[in-house]
Amino acid sequence: MLQKPLEELNRCTQSDFVAALANIFEYSPWVAEQAFAARPFAGVNALFAAMKTAVERGSKDQRLALIKSHPDLANKTQRAAGLTAESTAEQNSIGLDRLSDAEYEAFERVNNAYRGKFGFPYIVCVRRHTKDSVLADFERRLPNDAATETATSIAEICRIAALRLDQLVASSDRLAVHGRLSTHVLDNHNGKPAGGIAVELIERSLKGESRVVARAVTNSDGRTDQPLIGGRPVPIGRYELNFSVGRYFRERNVPLSEPPFLDDIALRFAVSEPEGHLHVPLLVTPWSYATYRGS
């Protein structure tokens, strides 16, 4: 997506400003219309604050209409009719466009239960979640009362909007919407960073198929050249990091048993803070390994 410089937005007419930001809040150009009066914006944080204030000051009917403008998750009928480009990209990012029949049935069941109780769609910022954590969030929120869910829905809509604005607007400041997941490997046998180790990050699913998120090879500093996940939230969920250490030691002529005592090491962990920095290192010898939660 080609970003629009904030300076350009500050110079726009109201109609052009609203057209550029009309769908930051789904089908709700009135939010941009009201934020326009706060120009010029010193940064994207100020712009987002103005848009969020417009939502907070909106009437009860406007806020309810904003909630109802969002589509259900993984709804085949709505997808066939056409979602906004933003909603399509967001749902596709966690695989809601390629669910198994059983997964579609699970989403349909919770969608219907939620709509039946509250009269509006379940809304969550899916870029912060995995499929498993979305379904868990459904179950956690379903017992709430309507007032709580209305407030929660608005908060999730603001999270969605912040990510959309971050993608759309170029500014000298940044919204706090990105997390990072990284790793490094230390060869404790030789007392130095371990370069050349193949690393695979897998998103584990308890209710569907697991999937590979990233593959990389450690560099001379024992790190991957780029974070395994970066430039976006790290979705809430369960993960596994696989390290091919047997080959690494074999190539360095380290005496090993046959088969090696440690060949491929799998570290399992969970993510609960999408905007945080989670560092999962591996300290390894041919006979032992350790890890810890770093940052």
Side-chain angles (χ1 to χ4, degrees):
M1 177 184 294
L2 184 62
Q3 288 188 307
K4 185 177 291 292
L6 180 63
E7 294 82 1
E8 183 178 327
L9 285 173
N10 279 333
R11 295 192 300 267
C12 279
T13 63
Q14 183 174 16
S15 60
D16 288 343
F17 181 89
V18 172
L21 302 178
N23 220 36
I24 295 299
F25 286 85
E26 189 93 345
Y27 290 123
S28 301
W30 62 269
V31 178
E33 288 173 359
Q34 294 189 25
F36 177 80
R39 293 183 319 147
F41 301 104
V44 70
N45 279 280
L47 170 57
F48 179 66
M51 299 187 80
K52 188 175 178 182
T53 296
V55 173
E56 291 169 349
R57 292 178 178 173
S59 68
K60 182 178 179 180
D61 287 345
Q62 282 179 313
R63 289 157 64 87
L64 183 58
L66 173 59
I67 293 171
K68 288 184 174 181
S69 69
H70 286 74
D72 290 318
L73 296 182
N75 184 295
K76 289 183 178 180
T77 302
Q78 290 177 350
R79 293 183 71 90
L83 306 179
T84 63
E86 293 86 354
S87 287
T88 298
E90 287 155 2
Q91 294 203 22
N92 291 358
S93 72
I94 64 167
L96 298 188
D97 58 329
R98 45 190 187 277
L99 298 177
S100 66
D101 289 343
E103 288 173 327
Y104 269 118
E105 289 174 5
F107 274 91
E108 184 177 14
R109 182 174 64 253
V110 293
N111 273 326
N112 290 342
Y114 188 95
R115 265 194 185 273
K117 179 173 182 179
F118 298 111
F120 51 76
Y122 163 81
I123 299 172
V124 69
C125 182
V126 293
R127 290 191 186 276
R128 303 176 75 248
H129 286 268
T130 57
K131 289 182 291 186
D132 281 2
S133 68
V134 167
L135 289 171
D137 189 65
F138 257 124
E139 301 294 344
R140 180 183 62 80
R141 287 168 52 181
L142 191 58
N144 290 340
D145 58 31
T148 299
E149 275 309 291
T150 298
T152 300
S153 297
I154 292 295
E156 291 296 322
I157 287 170
C158 287
R159 283 174 164 162
I160 294 167
L163 281 162
R164 291 181 179 183
L165 196 63
D166 175 76
Q167 290 182 320
L168 182 65
V169 177
S171 176
S172 57
D173 64 337
R174 299 295 300 273
L175 292 165
V177 294
H178 296 164
R180 185 165 60 156
L181 173 60
S182 58
T183 189
H184 80 269
V185 184
L186 179 63
D187 177 353
N188 275 359
H189 178 75
N190 292 311
K192 62 182 183 181
I197 289 185
V199 180
E200 186 176 66
L201 175 66
I202 297 171
E203 177 191 305
R204 297 173 55 229
S205 176
L206 302 179
K207 301 177 181 179
E209 292 186 1
S210 298
R211 68 185 184 99
V212 176
V213 175
R215 292 187 176 93
V217 177
T218 57
N219 56 29
S220 59
D221 195 37
R223 303 176 185 273
T224 57
D225 291 335
Q226 302 293 329
L228 297 170
I229 297 178
R232 62 184 177 94
V234 181
I236 296 167
R238 294 174 172 82
Y239 294 86
E240 180 175 296
L241 266 174
N242 289 325
F243 301 87
S244 297
V245 300
R247 179 178 178 180
Y248 166 83
F249 285 117
R250 190 179 296 111
E251 289 176 347
R252 282 150 185 80
N253 297 317
V254 176
L256 302 174
S257 60
E258 186 55 47
F261 178 66
L262 296 175
D263 195 0
D264 294 311
I265 294 175
L267 299 182
R268 291 187 170 182
F269 60 97
V271 170
S272 58
E273 301 169 2
E275 291 78 35
H277 178 195
L278 182 61
H279 187 65
V280 186
L282 177 71
L283 293 77
V284 65
T285 77
W287 313 103
S288 64
Y289 67 91
T291 190
Y292 57 88
R293 175 175 176 162
S295 62

